[in-house]
Amino acid sequence: MDFNVRKLASDAGIFFSRAVQFTEEKLGQAEKTELDTHFENLLARADCTKNWTEKIYRQTEVLLQPNPGARIEEFLYEKLDRKIPPRATNGEILSQFMLEAAKEFGPGTPYGSTLIKVGDCQRRLGGAEREFLQASSISFLTPLRNFLEGDWRTISRERRLLENRRLDLDACKARLKKAKAAEAKAAAVPDFQETRPRNYVLSASASALWSEELDKSEQELRVAQAEFDRQAEVTRLLLEGISSTHVNHLRCLREFAEAQAMYYNQCHKYMQELQRELGRCPDSLEVNCEPSGSPSDLLNSPSPLDSDTLQIEEVQPPASGTRKARVLYDYTAADSSELSLRADELITVYTMPGMDSDWLIGERGNQKGKVPVTYLELLS
């Protein structure tokens, strides 16, 4: 117990000394040991890295999981070191609702069959989203979090220790300066004509005491300087390691971009397949997606454009009603009756009697075929 009390008193003394030194520096009443320019640049670079890494990490979390409640739940599971339970994506939930609705309305009805197709697409989109979230968390979020919670905490701890060593060093310098001034004053030549020789004795004694205090201050300064230099070197090595952190984060950023590109490519592919499937199905709720054999119903009768691919070549553009259109996305023809498209190209489009409103006839030079309206921007 006695040892603990002494240690507590010693620590309190050191803390008080550092507080006094820090206050005097702020008030301009004490000298401060300045770090070299290179070291200051390393400190500024490290602070900049920490600040932007933290902002990028937080915003990436919001991008991958917009629901703040779900983010809090995942944070608590991580802190409790428990496995995060699987959570269905929004696309998978929507797919489940659509498939259940299709059962209620009847999978053989136009609405029910379309719900099944769209629901299956949403399920695949949800699965692609799940894979993207997992890949992004492993390849991008985890390295950023490891830096903030690991490397940066180590750097911050060593920087605080370096600041304490600097305060101790400056305090030793101040004590040494005072000891030198006092010794010089005490060592002044006494007046031998003094009628009271006791003053001479006291002056000599004070000079000896201050000389001893000076030696002690110099020894403390040497120790403080050595500790400061050693801690500065440790901190410098850690700060120079920020360059390696940038290289690692660059690799992780590229992996994140690749995962995101793969995810959007998959989504685009799934949506193209869905549009082709829906483009072959009429919109009327009174007909089935399967072609009907009733010749009396024009809606059910197969269009000449769909039944015979040769008739596409025989279709002639109307005298009026043709328009120019800009292609928004690449499109691959599903069969010979359709026309493949390239993004940003200009084509001539027009419609024919009996055509589905989701399709137009497109012409590009000598090529002709059906094109989906959703892939076009009609120009006036």
Side-chain angles (χ1 to χ4, degrees), residues 26-42:
K26 291 298 182 182
L27 296 176
Q29 299 175 358
E31 297 181 0
K32 177 182 177 180
T33 299
E34 299 293 344
L35 301 171
D36 59 83
T37 304
H38 177 64
F39 201 100
E40 292 287 355
N41 292 336
L42 290 177

PDB file of all heavy atoms in Angstrom, residues 26-42:
ATOM      1  N   LYS A  26       1.471  27.462 -23.819  1.00  0.00           N
ATOM      2  CA  LYS A  26       0.325  28.107 -24.435  1.00  0.00           C
ATOM      3  C   LYS A  26       0.316  29.605 -24.176  1.00  0.00           C
ATOM      4  O   LYS A  26      -0.146  30.387 -25.019  1.00  0.00           O
ATOM      5  CB  LYS A  26      -0.968  27.471 -23.908  1.00  0.00           C
ATOM      6  CG  LYS A  26      -1.186  26.040 -24.389  1.00  0.00           C
ATOM      7  CD  LYS A  26      -1.306  25.984 -25.910  1.00  0.00           C
ATOM      8  CE  LYS A  26      -1.581  24.567 -26.393  1.00  0.00           C
ATOM      9  NZ  LYS A  26      -1.660  24.510 -27.880  1.00  0.00           N
ATOM     10  N   LEU A  27       0.797  30.005 -23.018  1.00  0.00           N
ATOM     11  CA  LEU A  27       0.831  31.422 -22.673  1.00  0.00           C
ATOM     12  C   LEU A  27       2.076  32.118 -23.209  1.00  0.00           C
ATOM     13  O   LEU A  27       2.249  33.333 -23.007  1.00  0.00           O
ATOM     14  CB  LEU A  27       0.770  31.585 -21.148  1.00  0.00           C
ATOM     15  CG  LEU A  27      -0.518  31.086 -20.472  1.00  0.00           C
ATOM     16  CD1 LEU A  27      -0.408  31.221 -18.956  1.00  0.00           C
ATOM     17  CD2 LEU A  27      -1.738  31.843 -20.997  1.00  0.00           C
ATOM     18  N   GLY A  28       2.957  31.362 -23.856  1.00  0.00           N
ATOM     19  CA  GLY A  28       4.169  31.941 -24.397  1.00  0.00           C
ATOM     20  C   GLY A  28       5.223  32.250 -23.354  1.00  0.00           C
ATOM     21  O   GLY A  28       6.128  33.056 -23.595  1.00  0.00           O
ATOM     22  N   GLN A  29       5.136  31.621 -22.188  1.00  0.00           N
ATOM     23  CA  GLN A  29       6.076  31.876 -21.101  1.00  0.00           C
ATOM     24  C   GLN A  29       7.151  30.805 -20.996  1.00  0.00           C
ATOM     25  O   GLN A  29       7.978  30.848 -20.084  1.00  0.00           O
ATOM     26  CB  GLN A  29       5.317  31.976 -19.769  1.00  0.00           C
ATOM     27  CG  GLN A  29       4.293  33.104 -19.737  1.00  0.00           C
ATOM     28  CD  GLN A  29       3.487  33.089 -18.458  1.00  0.00           C
ATOM     29  OE1 GLN A  29       3.658  32.221 -17.603  1.00  0.00           O
ATOM     30  NE2 GLN A  29       2.606  34.078 -18.307  1.00  0.00           N
ATOM     31  N   ALA A  30       7.133  29.822 -21.894  1.00  0.00           N
ATOM     32  CA  ALA A  30       8.128  28.746 -21.853  1.00  0.00           C
ATOM     33  C   ALA A  30       8.491  28.353 -23.266  1.00  0.00           C
ATOM     34  O   ALA A  30       7.682  28.474 -24.198  1.00  0.00           O
ATOM     35  CB  ALA A  30       7.588  27.539 -21.074  1.00  0.00           C
ATOM     36  N   GLU A  31       9.717  27.893 -23.423  1.00  0.00           N
ATOM     37  CA  GLU A  31      10.171  27.441 -24.733  1.00  0.00           C
ATOM     38  C   GLU A  31       9.636  26.044 -25.028  1.00  0.00           C
ATOM     39  O   GLU A  31       9.412  25.244 -24.119  1.00  0.00           O
ATOM     40  CB  GLU A  31      11.698  27.435 -24.781  1.00  0.00           C
ATOM     41  CG  GLU A  31      12.322  28.810 -24.613  1.00  0.00           C
ATOM     42  CD  GLU A  31      13.839  28.751 -24.687  1.00  0.00           C
ATOM     43  OE1 GLU A  31      14.360  27.626 -24.864  1.00  0.00           O
ATOM     44  OE2 GLU A  31      14.480  29.805 -24.574  1.00  0.00           O
ATOM     45  N   LYS A  32       9.442  25.775 -26.307  1.00  0.00           N
ATOM     46  CA  LYS A  32       8.887  24.492 -26.743  1.00  0.00           C
ATOM     47  C   LYS A  32       9.829  23.855 -27.750  1.00  0.00           C
ATOM     48  O   LYS A  32      10.269  24.510 -28.702  1.00  0.00           O
ATOM     49  CB  LYS A  32       7.507  24.696 -27.371  1.00  0.00           C
ATOM     50  CG  LYS A  32       6.875  23.430 -27.912  1.00  0.00           C
ATOM     51  CD  LYS A  32       5.529  23.727 -28.549  1.00  0.00           C
ATOM     52  CE  LYS A  32       4.910  22.477 -29.157  1.00  0.00           C
ATOM     53  NZ  LYS A  32       3.600  22.772 -29.785  1.00  0.00           N
ATOM     54  N   THR A  33      10.120  22.594 -27.560  1.00  0.00           N
ATOM     55  CA  THR A  33      10.955  21.866 -28.500  1.00  0.00           C
ATOM     56  C   THR A  33      10.153  21.569 -29.761  1.00  0.00           C
ATOM     57  O   THR A  33       9.120  20.885 -29.700  1.00  0.00           O
ATOM     58  CB  THR A  33      11.452  20.545 -27.888  1.00  0.00           C
ATOM     59  OG1 THR A  33      12.230  20.829 -26.721  1.00  0.00           O
ATOM     60  CG2 THR A  33      12.300  19.763 -28.881  1.00  0.00           C
ATOM     61  N   GLU A  34      10.593  22.097 -30.887  1.00  0.00           N
ATOM     62  CA  GLU A  34       9.882  21.921 -32.141  1.00  0.00           C
ATOM     63  C   GLU A  34      10.393  20.681 -32.873  1.00  0.00           C
ATOM     64  O   GLU A  34      11.577  20.374 -32.849  1.00  0.00           O
ATOM     65  CB  GLU A  34      10.061  23.156 -33.030  1.00  0.00           C
ATOM     66  CG  GLU A  34       9.512  24.451 -32.424  1.00  0.00           C
ATOM     67  CD  GLU A  34       7.998  24.443 -32.294  1.00  0.00           C
ATOM     68  OE1 GLU A  34       7.354  23.585 -32.950  1.00  0.00           O
ATOM     69  OE2 GLU A  34       7.463  25.285 -31.552  1.00  0.00           O
ATOM     70  N   LEU A  35       9.471  19.990 -33.514  1.00  0.00           N
ATOM     71  CA  LEU A  35       9.839  18.833 -34.318  1.00  0.00           C
ATOM     72  C   LEU A  35      10.304  19.299 -35.688  1.00  0.00           C
ATOM     73  O   LEU A  35       9.932  20.380 -36.153  1.00  0.00           O
ATOM     74  CB  LEU A  35       8.646  17.889 -34.462  1.00  0.00           C
ATOM     75  CG  LEU A  35       8.076  17.339 -33.139  1.00  0.00           C
ATOM     76  CD1 LEU A  35       6.776  16.602 -33.406  1.00  0.00           C
ATOM     77  CD2 LEU A  35       9.077  16.428 -32.460  1.00  0.00           C
ATOM     78  N   ASP A  36      11.112  18.476 -36.359  1.00  0.00           N
ATOM     79  CA  ASP A  36      11.615  18.881 -37.668  1.00  0.00           C
ATOM     80  C   ASP A  36      10.488  18.881 -38.694  1.00  0.00           C
ATOM     81  O   ASP A  36       9.412  18.300 -38.485  1.00  0.00           O
ATOM     82  CB  ASP A  36      12.749  17.957 -38.126  1.00  0.00           C
ATOM     83  CG  ASP A  36      12.301  16.511 -38.223  1.00  0.00           C
ATOM     84  OD1 ASP A  36      11.716  16.131 -39.247  1.00  0.00           O
ATOM     85  OD2 ASP A  36      12.525  15.751 -37.234  1.00  0.00           O
ATOM     86  N   THR A  37      10.714  19.544 -39.828  1.00  0.00           N
ATOM     87  CA  THR A  37       9.674  19.727 -40.845  1.00  0.00           C
ATOM     88  C   THR A  37       9.187  18.391 -41.403  1.00  0.00           C
ATOM     89  O   THR A  37       7.977  18.200 -41.613  1.00  0.00           O
ATOM     90  CB  THR A  37      10.219  20.597 -41.989  1.00  0.00           C
ATOM     91  OG1 THR A  37      10.706  21.839 -41.455  1.00  0.00           O
ATOM     92  CG2 THR A  37       9.130  20.889 -43.014  1.00  0.00           C
ATOM     93  N   HIS A  38      10.094  17.468 -41.637  1.00  0.00           N
ATOM     94  CA  HIS A  38       9.698  16.157 -42.158  1.00  0.00           C
ATOM     95  C   HIS A  38       8.761  15.437 -41.195  1.00  0.00           C
ATOM     96  O   HIS A  38       7.763  14.835 -41.620  1.00  0.00           O
ATOM     97  CB  HIS A  38      10.949  15.316 -42.415  1.00  0.00           C
ATOM     98  CG  HIS A  38      10.644  13.918 -42.888  1.00  0.00           C
ATOM     99  ND1 HIS A  38      10.008  13.644 -44.074  1.00  0.00           N
ATOM    100  CD2 HIS A  38      10.886  12.698 -42.303  1.00  0.00           C
ATOM    101  CE1 HIS A  38       9.872  12.338 -44.218  1.00  0.00           C
ATOM    102  NE2 HIS A  38      10.404  11.743 -43.155  1.00  0.00           N
ATOM    103  N   PHE A  39       9.068  15.534 -39.908  1.00  0.00           N
ATOM    104  CA  PHE A  39       8.225  14.878 -38.908  1.00  0.00           C
ATOM    105  C   PHE A  39       6.840  15.524 -38.883  1.00  0.00           C
ATOM    106  O   PHE A  39       5.811  14.828 -38.788  1.00  0.00           O
ATOM    107  CB  PHE A  39       8.881  14.984 -37.530  1.00  0.00           C
ATOM    108  CG  PHE A  39       8.406  13.963 -36.550  1.00  0.00           C
ATOM    109  CD1 PHE A  39       9.149  12.827 -36.289  1.00  0.00           C
ATOM    110  CD2 PHE A  39       7.205  14.121 -35.879  1.00  0.00           C
ATOM    111  CE1 PHE A  39       8.707  11.872 -35.388  1.00  0.00           C
ATOM    112  CE2 PHE A  39       6.753  13.188 -34.978  1.00  0.00           C
ATOM    113  CZ  PHE A  39       7.509  12.049 -34.731  1.00  0.00           C
ATOM    114  N   GLU A  40       6.792  16.838 -38.977  1.00  0.00           N
ATOM    115  CA  GLU A  40       5.503  17.540 -38.987  1.00  0.00           C
ATOM    116  C   GLU A  40       4.683  17.135 -40.215  1.00  0.00           C
ATOM    117  O   GLU A  40       3.452  16.964 -40.130  1.00  0.00           O
ATOM    118  CB  GLU A  40       5.724  19.052 -38.973  1.00  0.00           C
ATOM    119  CG  GLU A  40       6.323  19.589 -37.680  1.00  0.00           C
ATOM    120  CD  GLU A  40       5.330  19.585 -36.524  1.00  0.00           C
ATOM    121  OE1 GLU A  40       4.142  19.256 -36.761  1.00  0.00           O
ATOM    122  OE2 GLU A  40       5.742  19.899 -35.394  1.00  0.00           O
ATOM    123  N   ASN A  41       5.344  16.977 -41.354  1.00  0.00           N
ATOM    124  CA  ASN A  41       4.632  16.544 -42.557  1.00  0.00           C
ATOM    125  C   ASN A  41       4.081  15.135 -42.406  1.00  0.00           C
ATOM    126  O   ASN A  41       2.969  14.831 -42.874  1.00  0.00           O
ATOM    127  CB  ASN A  41       5.569  16.610 -43.768  1.00  0.00           C
ATOM    128  CG  ASN A  41       5.935  18.031 -44.145  1.00  0.00           C
ATOM    129  OD1 ASN A  41       5.199  18.978 -43.828  1.00  0.00           O
ATOM    130  ND2 ASN A  41       7.066  18.205 -44.811  1.00  0.00           N
ATOM    131  N   LEU A  42       4.850  14.269 -41.749  1.00  0.00           N
ATOM    132  CA  LEU A  42       4.357  12.912 -41.492  1.00  0.00           C
ATOM    133  C   LEU A  42       3.127  12.932 -40.589  1.00  0.00           C
ATOM    134  O   LEU A  42       2.164  12.183 -40.809  1.00  0.00           O
ATOM    135  CB  LEU A  42       5.467  12.068 -40.851  1.00  0.00           C
ATOM    136  CG  LEU A  42       6.656  11.687 -41.735  1.00  0.00           C
ATOM    137  CD1 LEU A  42       7.696  10.926 -40.929  1.00  0.00           C
ATOM    138  CD2 LEU A  42       6.200  10.852 -42.927  1.00  0.00           C
TER     139      LEU A  42
END
